[in-house]
Amino acid sequence: MTSLNDRIEVALGDITKMEVDAIVNAANPSLLGGKGVDGAIHRAAGPGLLEECRGLDGCPPGEARITRGYRLPAKYVIHTVGPIWRGGGSGEDELLAMAYRSTLLIAEENGIRTIAFPAISTGAYGFPVERASPIAVAEIRGFLEENGSIEKVVLVCFSERAKECYLDALSTCE
Ligand code: ADP
């Protein structure tokens, strides 16, 4: 029997290069682009992405929206808005979990089989990656357990530190 962790992969690198059905964008509520992974995705996708995003009227924290991938290898981009870290006592954990859940739900609704996530909220939004990674892993595992349609989730890390945190989180729940 294959374990849930066999459907989860940890990779170090640039998410815009990933050859998957959908990549996830850690967006801000305007959905009109920004720094970090958001800027990289918009640059790689080209102007069509911003044009489509303009028609979406933003996205509240914890929710997600889907667009096409334009010049990206990925067919779709799922934009989600994580929480801004305010010290950990303002519902940040639950909002981060919601962002993962909303994204996976949209992926499933759109027949997406392979999906790559960045470490949502752990850059400019300041969420500590050692606290974010077990939340990400728990939400993804919980979803995969209930839904067979998503075959592969790639956790894309931009630093060795993030990779260590994900591998740690995965090793505690095999
Ligand atoms: P947020 O505002 O949600 O914190 P950021 O883009 O600032 O979003 O950071 C989210 C995570 O994405 C960080 O861990 C950052 O290192 C990482 N990141 C930045 N650029 C890329 C990229 N091109 N590919 C994958 N991950 C990236």
Side-chain angles (χ1 to χ4, degrees):
M1 209 184 83
T2 57
S3 84
L4 282 179
N5 283 2
D6 292 341
R7 290 158 71 194
I8 305 175
E9 197 178 293
V10 179
L12 194 61
D14 181 355
I15 200 167
T16 65
K17 306 276 196 285
M18 298 292 308
E19 304 206 352
V20 284
D21 295 341
I23 64 170
V24 179
N25 183 13
N28 61 58
S30 77
L31 296 185
L32 298 181
K35 296 180 182 165
V37 73
D38 196 357
I41 289 173
H42 275 274
R43 274 193 302 279
L49 180 61
L50 182 60
E51 208 170 297
E52 186 174 353
C53 284
R54 281 209 179 94
L56 292 177
D57 200 25
C59 177
E63 294 188 19
R65 303 284 186 270
I66 191 165
T67 64
R68 289 166 51 208
Y70 299 89
R71 295 177 192 159
L72 291 164
K75 185 173 179 201
Y76 297 104
V77 180
I78 303 178
H79 308 259
T80 189
V81 181
I84 296 173
W85 180 256
R86 301 186 197 281
S90 305
E92 293 96 326
D93 292 350
E94 181 46 30
L95 213 48
L96 185 66
M98 266 180 69
Y100 278 93
R101 268 201 304 279
S102 310
T103 301
L104 289 163
L105 207 57
I106 289 198
E108 198 204 13
E109 285 166 5
N110 286 274
I112 286 159
R113 293 173 181 281
T114 56
I115 181 167
F117 279 91
I120 298 165
S121 284
T122 67
Y125 278 8
F127 204 120
V129 68
E130 66 276 7
R131 179 150 157 175
S133 46
I135 295 170
V137 164
E139 286 309 317
I140 291 165
R141 282 178 53 95
F143 194 90
L144 294 181
E145 203 161 21
E146 302 293 320
N147 303 273
S149 64
I150 298 181
E151 291 163 8
K152 176 75 79 186
V153 176
V154 188
L155 297 168
V156 182
C157 308
F158 218 48
S159 67
E160 282 290 346
R161 169 105 187 91
K163 189 176 165 188
E164 278 166 26
C165 289
Y166 277 128
L167 292 176
D168 250 22
L170 283 165
S171 70
T172 60
C173 52
E174 276 186 283

